[in-house]
Amino acid sequence: MADGEGFVVRVRGLPWSCSVDEVQRFFSDCKPANGAGGIHFTYTREGRPSGEAFVELESEDDLKIAVKKDRETMGHRYVEVFKSNSVEMDWVLKHTGPNCPETGGDGLVRMRGLPFGCSKEEIVQFFSGLEIVPNGITLPVDFQGRSSGEAFVQFASQDIAEKALKKHKERIGHRYIEIFQSSRAEVRTHYEPQRKAAGMQRPGPYDRPSGGRGYSAVPRGGVLRQDAPRRLRWALWRWELLLPECHGPLCAHEGASLPSD
């Protein structure tokens, strides 16, 4: 990681009652910098826990161990862990929470704890009688395209949003829903990093290779061209590892190393 960015992970999906001790136990295999002082929870405008935290770590090795805990469980909740840096951490800590100067009057709320597969129509029904602006519901997904269990809802006014907050811990199906006041700044910090990361993930063995119609990255000699799209080279490289007995080498660099750009 570049100098000055530190060794930081961002944690999402924490139980609302999560404590510093619980985070330390969750990351017991690695060392948070300054012990409990390296764990930073984020909060909503009402001062309630947002379910997220930043954890500063002592070294690159600790960072690598920490990100491997992505999607392990804490209590009955799975927890997302992904790389961050001190710049993002400082910005989020400054621009969220009850003392944030930029979060007033947006008419936005954040929902948490939605059932898997919850639709926008179900959210509209949940807020029946409260006017939501056209295209005012955002359903973030994780890097695999699965629902995050959260949503951002833009109401027609801040007064209506205040009424929506009163539905905190009412139910959709068998799940109670947490509702927090939100802002456009929170949408950016919560949603954009994951959307950007989605384009950086390695494709799975069954991902459909991308590329123009009629374009072949593998010439007749059977060696993958190095100017082929990176996603296609990844897919063919992994295919070779899965089915080595079915064909000869497809990658210009044989072995189990990542195809380079």
Side-chain angles (χ1 to χ4, degrees):
M1 185 174 288
D3 292 342
E5 292 189 352
F7 308 106
V8 182
V9 293
R10 187 171 182 175
V11 187
R12 178 178 296 161
L14 295 170
W16 65 270
S17 59
C18 183
S19 67
V20 170
D21 288 341
E22 287 175 299
V23 174
Q24 286 182 305
R25 287 196 295 271
F26 183 78
F27 289 108
S28 60
D29 296 334
C30 47
K31 297 179 181 178
N34 304 316
I39 299 170
H40 309 279
F41 292 102
T42 62
Y43 297 88
T44 68
R45 276 191 293 182
E46 296 76 31
R48 296 199 296 259
S50 68
E52 297 190 14
F54 290 90
V55 181
E56 298 179 274
L57 300 158
E58 289 191 352
S59 68
E60 181 73 27
D61 289 339
D62 291 316
L63 178 65
K64 290 177 181 179
I65 294 171
V67 296
K68 289 180 180 178
K69 297 184 74 67
D70 182 47
R71 298 195 173 276
E72 291 189 11
T73 57
M74 181 183 293
H76 297 291
R77 299 184 68 95
Y78 74 80
V79 176
E80 295 176 275
V81 181
F82 47 96
K83 285 185 181 180
S84 183
N85 56 62
S86 58
V87 175
E88 181 188 24
M89 178 184 71
D90 292 342
W91 194 95
V92 172
L93 293 176
K94 180 181 178 181
H95 291 83
T96 58
N99 298 319
C100 174
E102 299 183 6
T103 56
D106 284 347
L108 269 161
V109 303
R110 175 181 170 188
M111 305 176 71
R112 179 180 170 192
L114 295 171
F116 176 77
C118 182
S119 67
K120 292 183 179 181
E121 289 74 17
E122 289 175 290
I123 292 174
V124 170
Q125 183 61 37
F126 180 77
F127 289 117
S128 178
L130 303 178
E131 183 183 357
I132 299 171
V133 302
N135 301 313
I137 299 175
T138 300
L139 292 169
V141 296
D142 64 19
F143 64 87
Q144 293 181 323
R146 297 179 299 194
S147 172
S148 67
E150 302 192 354
F152 293 95
V153 183
Q154 173 76 66
F155 290 94
S157 70
Q158 183 60 28
D159 288 341
I160 297 175
E162 295 290 343
K163 294 177 182 178
L165 290 172
K166 295 179 182 180
K167 295 179 74 67
H168 181 62
K169 295 204 172 178
E170 291 188 15
R171 292 179 178 271
I172 293 180
H174 298 291
R175 296 182 66 97
Y176 73 82
I177 308 300
E178 297 172 285
I179 304 175
F180 311 99
Q181 195 159 320
S182 186
S183 67
R184 292 182 179 87
E186 185 179 26
V187 174
R188 289 194 298 270
T189 59
H190 182 92
Y191 181 47
E192 291 296 330
Q194 280 296 90
R195 188 171 68 177
K196 291 176 181 177
M200 301 168 62
Q201 301 301 319
R202 300 178 181 181
Y206 304 108
D207 282 352
R208 188 171 185 173
S210 61
R213 185 174 181 180
Y215 172 82
S216 175
V218 185
R220 292 181 180 179
V223 177
L224 184 66
R225 284 166 38 176
Q226 289 304 297
D227 62 344
R230 181 176 176 82
R231 183 177 176 85
L232 178 54
R233 285 188 282 119
W234 257 114
L236 292 173
W237 175 74
R238 294 192 66 176
W239 181 52
E240 182 182 352
L241 293 182
L242 288 169
L243 301 171
E245 73 281 1
C246 296
H247 49 73
L250 289 174
C251 295
H253 303 285
E254 296 186 29
S257 61
L258 167 65
S260 59
D261 286 324

